Amino acid sequence: MSSPPVTRPTPVVPPRAPDRRVGVVVVCVAVAVASVVGVWALWRVFVTTESGQLVELAALRGAEYGQTQLWRVAERVLDIVSVGFIAAVILAAMLIAVLRRRWELALQVAVLMVGANVTTRLLKLEVFYRPELGVPESYGNTLPSGHTTAAASVSVALLLVVPPRVRPWAALLGAGYTTATGVSTLIGQWHRPSDVVAAILVVLAWGAVACALVALTRRRAATSTGALRRVDEDGNAPAGRRSLRLAVGVLLVTGAASAGVAVLSLSRTWQHLGAVPSRADQVLAYVGGATGSLMAACVAFAVLLLLRQAAAARLPDS
């Protein structure tokens, strides 16, 4: 007589956790699209309309007050930006990526740097134009700012490749350096405020694309040495999370305060377009443009810091 067959329990397969990469990529694409729309909106409002040109003319003339003293510092900031400087930062960023055994980051840095700077040049020279609307000092289209694009793109490149525990400080320094460069172009009357903000949005769009590529890259061991591995893992430590929250908080609070000053200043200028602008009106417009540049840089780097952190925190591939 044969024994009854032994029934084995069906193994319970735990549900697979959802892949966070899809959500990160969707957010990155949304940020990139919103940035593109923002660049177009700035051009439409401040370049193709008489009111927009007059507001920025007031800001341009407001930069004349105190320019002699401020230009001594601004000129040094702008002198840093050059083809050699950009090339040196690209090489440094790629070297950091290679030392961390993150070969794909080296390619993503190149995509960011080339994409942002070529896009700015094409938009300025081939896509956008500045109509003659009878506004003085309308010397052709200058949107977006090439110097600001270069400064912002090198800052974002370093944000992409540094280890997690360094990213919050890279974001803070990047926002500061980008603002310093953008405001320096305003001091020298090289650019108008919309040029600076548009340049930051161009870099934000390409930075979001780079973060999407990070999220889509299969996870690999970051380094081959224990010391560098600990550096990579420190981003998930409590101290690393505190640094992240602190940096994002500082950037967003500074951005919100700057946005308030910019809105109040530029709205007052907009309301007094019919009258001959006084010295106070011009300085107020200039202050509004400078704080608007600070706002754009702070918000952009806060967003990119969060996107970069989210892209790196994805679930490992099976």
Side-chain angles (χ1 to χ4, degrees):
M1 184 175 180
S2 60
S3 58
V6 178
T7 58
R8 296 178 180 178
T10 304
V12 178
V13 179
R16 188 174 181 177
D19 194 339
R20 291 178 56 186
R21 292 180 301 173
V22 176
V24 173
V25 171
V26 169
V27 174
C28 289
V29 172
V31 169
V33 171
S35 300
V36 172
V37 173
V39 173
W40 177 85
L42 286 168
W43 173 71
R44 287 290 299 172
V45 173
F46 290 101
V47 180
T48 66
T49 67
E50 183 182 9
S51 298
Q53 289 191 10
L54 286 172
V55 168
E56 294 209 302
L57 175 62
L60 200 65
R61 290 180 173 174
E64 297 174 356
Y65 302 105
Q67 187 180 48
T68 303
Q69 291 77 17
L70 293 174
W71 181 242
R72 294 173 185 172
V73 178
E75 187 176 19
R76 295 177 182 176
V77 173
L78 295 175
D79 283 344
I80 297 174
V81 180
S82 64
V83 175
F85 172 68
I86 294 175
V89 172
I90 292 177
L91 291 176
M94 288 184 172
L95 179 61
I96 294 173
V98 169
L99 290 175
R100 296 184 61 212
R101 301 293 182 93
R102 297 296 301 275
W103 317 108
E104 71 283 355
L105 280 179
L107 177 60
Q108 289 152 10
V109 165
V111 169
L112 163 71
M113 296 290 294
V114 174
N117 288 278
V118 170
T119 298
T120 285
R121 187 164 183 81
L122 288 176
L123 289 177
K124 184 189 300 186
L125 300 179
E126 304 294 338
V127 178
F128 293 154
Y129 62 92
R130 187 177 186 86
E132 291 292 340
L133 302 175
V135 177
E137 301 178 35
S138 184
Y139 41 81
N141 178 60
T142 55
L143 183 147
S145 163
H147 276 73
T148 307
T149 299
S153 60
V154 298
S155 300
V156 175
L158 293 176
L159 176 64
L160 285 175
V161 299
V162 296
R165 69 175 181 182
V166 186
R167 284 178 200 147
W169 313 113
L172 290 171
L173 291 174
Y177 174 57
T178 299
T179 301
T181 303
V183 173
S184 293
T185 66
L186 301 183
I187 293 171
Q189 296 179 304
W190 291 11
H191 282 286
R192 306 170 179 91
S194 63
D195 302 346
V196 175
V197 177
I200 294 171
L201 290 179
V202 169
V203 177
L204 176 58
W206 280 101
V209 170
C211 289
L213 294 176
V214 172
L216 291 173
T217 304
R218 294 178 65 86
R219 171 167 289 191
R220 295 181 178 89
T223 62
S224 59
T225 67
L228 289 179
R229 187 177 299 113
R230 286 197 302 273
V231 171
D232 280 338
E233 291 171 352
D234 280 348
N236 295 320
R241 291 194 294 269
R242 285 196 296 270
S243 298
L244 176 66
R245 289 194 293 266
L246 175 63
V248 172
V250 169
L251 289 170
L252 291 181
V253 169
T254 304
S258 303
V261 175
V263 169
L264 290 174
S265 302
L266 294 177
S267 61
R268 175 178 171 81
T269 305
W270 208 291
Q271 293 169 0
H272 292 79
L273 287 178
V276 177
S278 64
R279 175 175 177 175
D281 292 333
Q282 292 174 347
V283 172
L284 196 62
Y286 172 51
V287 170
T291 53
S293 302
L294 174 59
M295 176 273 298
C298 288
V299 173
F301 276 88
V303 170
L304 287 173
L305 175 58
L306 291 173
L307 290 180
R308 180 66 181 89
Q309 206 74 4
R314 65 192 185 280
L315 293 177
D317 294 307
S318 57

